[in-house]
Amino acid sequence: MSEAWIIDACRTPRGIGKQGKGSLADLHPQHLGAAVLKALAERNELDTSTVDDIIFGTSLQSGTQGGDLARMAALTAGYSTKASGVTLDRYCGSGITSATLGASIVASGFEDVIISGGCEMMSTYGSNRHAPGLGLLDMGNEALRAMHPQPHQGVAADAIASKDGITREALDQLGYESQQRAAVAIAEGRFAPSLIAVHTLDGQLLLDHEEYPRPETTLEKLASLPAAFGGFLDFELESSGLTFRKMINQVYPEIDIQPVHHAGTSSGVVDGAAAILYASDRAVEQYGWKPRARVVATANVGDCPTLMLNAPGPAITKVLAKAGLTIDDIDVIEINEAFAVVVEKTIRDLGLDRAKVNPNGGAIALGHPIGATGSILIGTCLDELERTGGRYGLVTQCAAGGMAPAIIIERVA
């Protein structure tokens, strides 16, 4: 067995994921993925013919994001044709999953140099969108619907808050804190070690900074925003008599769903990409690389597919046990802010130190490019460990279908 060493991690800024508004929206996803691969090679004087495989997470694999984005991005970046690529989908958990698979392959000794990461251009979703259901369980099938009803994620977030008695005020506070922390991080250059600029093919600058944050956000403004998902509750799906409220109450009849989430407590729609360079013991010695961190443990957890957002807590518990650590050993905790309730519930359930959780803001402020976010968070976690002198970092995120991957890394002093 080898250690799975993290040599480097980089990411693009997150651009607003809307045509006509976002600086990256006109870029082909292969070019956005190529940007991080090219930067990773240049930053580490990487002979790309030595790359054994490239593993990308991409949640919406259709249209311009189809066709094995990892391989096409590598070719676009000018990588050697010897560097193969594969693209996977675990919904929002894709970016952590690509990272854990890359680490596992290196640690097993099967390969020596792996690049993991992800790319998602949500600005393409209007043209690339899946058929109704977005790839979730076939809700048109009565037998499957009876087993595992799966509603809209925003409705599930509201249902979790209603079930646990988490108020809108508490969620607004978390959303506000995300914006404030991100503003400080940006002002102090905390993202600089991993952040790269994105250019057009002819070298024109497209984006070199985070485009989504709203540092002017106040609690008063958040309180004035209308709930976003209340209108979905009783909308009849395809004249079937089925509604999202009925889906949830089929499994949890006791929940009186109260709409509480809104645009200021939900993750931002953005474009973005990230990449992580892994190396084995043998490759570190051969190429003279200085590792930044090592992977300590990884874990995957499945949970209720109806509420679908509750798995990060169990994933944290599982990965800590595998690592032989306690939560007090962890210096930085990144929990993706898909919705404010995901983070708030996990903090409450596990008694987490709020100062350690998303210390530089999260997806509410910065955005959530679905297949890339997990890899982005690993790089952000590593940057924060280096900035503060911390030792261990933990990253997790919820994923549709009721799942959560998790990973623990240790900074190399």
Side-chain angles (χ1 to χ4, degrees), residues 349-411:
D349 287 353
L350 300 183
L352 303 181
D353 181 347
R354 290 180 181 271
K356 293 182 178 182
V357 179
N358 302 348
N360 296 310
I364 290 172
L366 297 160
H368 173 27
I370 298 173
T373 299
S375 296
I376 289 174
L377 293 181
I378 293 169
T380 299
C381 182
L382 176 54
D383 289 344
E384 183 66 7
L385 289 173
E386 291 177 339
R387 185 184 76 85
T388 60
R391 182 177 180 182
Y392 291 112
L394 188 155
V395 183
T396 189
Q397 57 190 144
C398 61
M403 300 180 286
I407 186 170
I408 293 175
I409 62 173
E410 180 182 15
R411 179 182 65 89

Side-chain angles (χ1 to χ4, degrees), residues 9-47:
C10 69
R11 67 171 180 87
T12 69
R14 280 157 281 197
I16 293 172
K18 292 183 180 180
Q19 293 290 330
K21 292 187 177 181
S23 297
L24 303 176
D26 291 331
L27 203 63
H28 194 288
Q30 293 171 9
H31 295 232
L32 189 62
V36 288
L37 293 179
K38 185 176 180 180
L40 207 58
E42 292 175 347
R43 285 159 58 118
N44 297 282
E45 299 181 350
L46 175 64
D47 176 354

Side-chain angles (χ1 to χ4, degrees), residues 34 69 97 119 122 170 186 196 203 211 221 252 256 277 313 324 342 345 384:
L69 187 53
T97 298
C119 178
M122 300 183 78
I186 291 168
I196 67 162
E211 197 168 43
K221 287 183 179 179
Y252 299 93
D256 179 17
L277 176 60
V342 177
K345 176 178 172 57
E384 183 66 7

Side-chain angles (χ1 to χ4, degrees), residues 48-193:
T48 60
S49 69
T50 65
V51 175
D52 296 302
D53 208 3
I54 299 163
I55 307 171
F56 259 21
T58 303
S59 185
L60 189 61
Q61 295 183 36
S62 62
T64 54
Q65 292 198 158
D68 191 357
L69 187 53
R71 173 64 169 174
M72 298 307 118
L75 296 176
T76 302
Y79 271 42
S80 167
T81 56
K82 294 180 179 180
S84 60
V86 64
T87 304
L88 58 83
D89 173 18
R90 197 196 292 273
Y91 301 113
C92 298
S94 300
I96 294 180
T97 298
S98 68
T100 60
L101 286 177
S104 300
I105 292 169
V106 168
S108 71
F110 288 153
E111 303 283 15
D112 292 305
V113 180
I114 297 285
I115 294 175
S116 295
C119 178
E120 199 87 32
M121 291 196 62
M122 300 183 78
S123 58
T124 71
Y125 275 27
S127 57
N128 286 347
R129 201 171 184 84
H130 283 311
L134 293 178
L136 299 182
L137 198 68
D138 179 10
M139 288 293 100
N141 184 296
E142 189 172 344
L144 291 174
R145 189 168 71 237
M147 293 170 57
H148 300 297
Q150 296 183 49
H152 186 283
Q153 288 190 2
V155 175
D158 286 343
I160 293 167
S162 299
K163 182 176 184 293
D164 283 33
I166 298 174
T167 65
R168 170 164 171 158
E169 289 74 21
L171 301 176
D172 283 359
Q173 181 64 46
L174 191 145
Y176 172 74
E177 190 71 25
S178 181
Q179 295 285 356
Q180 296 304 301
R181 291 183 178 190
V184 171
I186 291 168
E188 295 183 356
R190 297 184 187 180
F191 299 136

Side-chain angles (χ1 to χ4, degrees), residues 241-328:
L242 184 67
T243 67
F244 291 134
R245 186 194 300 273
K246 289 179 180 178
M247 286 184 184
I248 291 174
N249 287 153
Q250 173 183 314
V251 182
Y252 299 93
E254 74 281 7
I255 300 180
D256 179 17
I257 305 170
Q258 300 298 316
V260 288
H261 286 85
H262 49 74
T265 49
S266 304
S267 56
V269 175
V270 295
D271 301 327
I276 302 166
L277 176 60
Y278 287 115
S280 66
D281 296 336
R282 182 167 51 238
V284 167
E285 182 176 356
Q286 182 175 354
Y287 302 120
W289 284 324
K290 183 179 180 181
R292 295 176 62 191
R294 72 179 185 96
V295 175
V296 177
T298 70
N300 293 288
V301 167
D303 200 76
C304 171
T306 300
L307 293 184
M308 81 175 66
L309 308 174
N310 283 336
I316 289 174
T317 300
K318 182 177 180 179
V319 77
L320 285 171
K322 293 178 72 173
L325 299 172
T326 71
I327 197 62
D328 292 334

